[in-house]
Amino acid sequence: MSLDKLKNKIKESIFTLYSNNELNIQFQKTKKNFDGDLTIVVFPLLVVSKKSAEKTSSEIAICLKKNVSEIIDFNIVGGFLNLIFSNNFWLTQFKNIYDDKNYGIKIADKNSDKYVVEYSSPNTNKPLHLGHIRNILLGHSISEILKANGNNVVKVQIINDRGIHICKSMVSWKKFGKGEDPQSSNIKGDHLVGKYYVKYNTVYSEQVNDLVKKGFSLDQAEKQAPIFLEAQNMLLKWESGDKEIIDLWKKMNNWVYDGFDQTYSRLNVSFDKNYYESNTFLLGKNIIEDGLKKNIFYQKDDKSVWVSLSKYNLDDKILLRADGTSVYITQDIGTAVQRHDDFSFTNMIYTVGNEQNHHFKVLFSILDLLSYDWSSNCKHLSYGMVDLPSGKMKSREGTVVDADDLMSNLVNNAKKISQDLGKTKGMEQNEIDSLYETVGLGALKYFILKVDPHKNMLFNTEESIDFNGNTGPFIQYTYARIQSLLRNCNYQLSVDFCDYYELNSSEKNLIKIMCKFPNILSDSAKQLNPSLLANYSYELSKEFNQFYQSYPILNNESKKIIIFRLVISKKISEIIKSSMSLLGILMPDKM
């Protein structure tokens, strides 16, 4: 009998006791200060018992001991009834867990829900940075968690490959680049294009300041700066299909795509399909023009197209500018429709920062206004910003933390700390290099994913790579420690050896935590929150290390105790590996 089934059995007994099947029976984890495996909150039941909390607790406990064989004892603290389950119940839980090779994981079939998850979605005018990394890691881990909950998942990105920002990099390279390319400069393609985006903004700021000195207002200066007018003109030429501009655009975008692919490969993330704004904005424009004909949208005197969203308590939104050029919402409408045509998804998840909360309320409202019945299944995974100890990052000023530099920095830190702690003794060089990469990237991924997505976070390189505390390296070391135990054991491991084994309190606590894994995994998917799974992995690792420090495993006189402690260690390592793999984090066998 599983813990969930046992809870239902307890509920049935209480329903029978009070002849009421609609009682609000609340369970909670027994507090550490008290003895017990599960606590019933008795206060809500006083309305039917008509007795004091203590007397009600007592009559419920007597009833449960009589009707539920798994309950062997209890204690009462005020209005809380702490139940104690039999040793055999917990042994049975562990045996069931141990024998389940895919414990907690559900396998999708053709009838399972289909999720489309969008993440990364970069601009082709700059390289990926720390903010993108949070986006990428959240989107990738949510995709894997949804899969593990028995859903079919398609991972996609929309590449923002057009617009004024792209033209800014293009104008800058054309004016100042002197034919420079990734090969001649030995600079990664996305970094090279980003260099010219920063150059554009430097020149633009200088020109704005010069115009202000000449008597222009700041607003006028920002609109009349020569390099800005060049970028605007280039955008109009791009939208009209000018061959020279299109060729330059393709060339520079390809540089960036090559750079992105290198970054994605190192992060070990991938996509099933890429969408490009340069394609989907055209579909969006067609949908808007059709909506205009149907009077879903309206046109102002200057020919710009708008939508009224008053029924959603939102302000009117522009959909096409007066000159016919599109805005971001234009391509988002087209992309959403194209994805549903491509995949007939059940749900669509957009992984985008919380500064776009309003944008997605508008998008989903427009899709609903257009009578797409799937619009209600579009969700925004809104996440907080990543700041640094030195403050906020700004792409246009070149003050962002570059994703590639950050990864290399963390791998180098992992190398230094591993060498200082003697973690690589007896390992071959290829194993050592792989370990540095595994630990460095594991530190990065875990530090970001352990934080609730909705919260802003401060990224601290030193804290992330610590081998103690709630970090990726600590969990990786726990896994490697268990692999070392298993390599050094001389016994055939099986739970058949575990019959009539008397659990100590630490072993029982480990089994309790293992029992939580399926529900944690389910909640992570429902809440779109990988931090639940990350912090669960830490909880299990921390409990195991306390157990390891307190009780001998291999150095024990009893073969039965050695085998049981090894099989429980083995299953713990499997759950850690399973949960961390869903976060995109690899586990080293040696460390």
Side-chain angles (χ1 to χ4, degrees), residues 34-51:
F34 302 104
D35 190 19
D37 298 316
L38 185 69
T39 296
I40 298 175
V41 183
V42 176
F43 297 110
L45 303 176
L46 303 185
V47 68
V48 291
S49 71
K50 309 298 184 182
K51 299 184 179 75

Side-chain angles (χ1 to χ4, degrees), residues 503-539:
L503 296 164
N504 64 37
S505 60
S506 185
E507 291 161 344
K508 188 165 75 169
N509 283 338
L510 286 170
I511 294 171
K512 286 182 182 180
I513 297 173
M514 283 190 275
C515 286
K516 293 164 58 176
F517 178 60
N519 288 335
I520 293 289
L521 183 53
S522 175
D523 289 344
S524 295
K526 290 175 183 175
Q527 298 178 33
L528 302 179
N529 188 349
S531 74
L532 301 178
L533 193 59
N535 287 287
Y536 168 81
S537 302
Y538 171 65
E539 179 189 8

Side-chain angles (χ1 to χ4, degrees), residues 123-128 165-166 168-201 248 250-260 262-263 395 398 402 404-405:
N123 297 323
T124 56
N125 65 323
K126 55 189 175 183
L128 302 171
H165 292 300
I166 313 303
K168 288 175 181 178
S169 293
M170 291 165 60
V171 162
S172 181
W173 181 85
K174 194 173 180 183
K175 289 175 71 70
F176 309 112
K178 299 177 181 178
E180 183 180 32
D181 62 25
Q183 288 71 37
S184 65
S185 62
N186 197 28
I187 298 176
K188 194 162 165 275
D190 51 336
H191 287 245
L192 181 63
V193 173
K195 166 185 167 182
Y196 285 100
Y197 180 65
V198 173
K199 175 67 174 176
Y200 168 91
N201 282 289
L248 175 61
K250 288 179 178 178
K251 178 169 68 174
M252 293 183 69
N253 274 349
N254 283 330
W255 294 347
V256 175
Y257 299 150
D258 288 342
F260 286 168
Q262 293 175 48
T263 305
S395 296
D402 177 78
D404 299 309
D405 292 344

Side-chain angles (χ1 to χ4, degrees), residues 52 71 148 222 261 294 330 446 484 491 502:
S52 68
I71 297 174
E222 288 175 342
D261 286 345
K294 294 177 180 178
T330 314
Y446 185 83
S484 177
Y491 298 106
E502 191 65 34

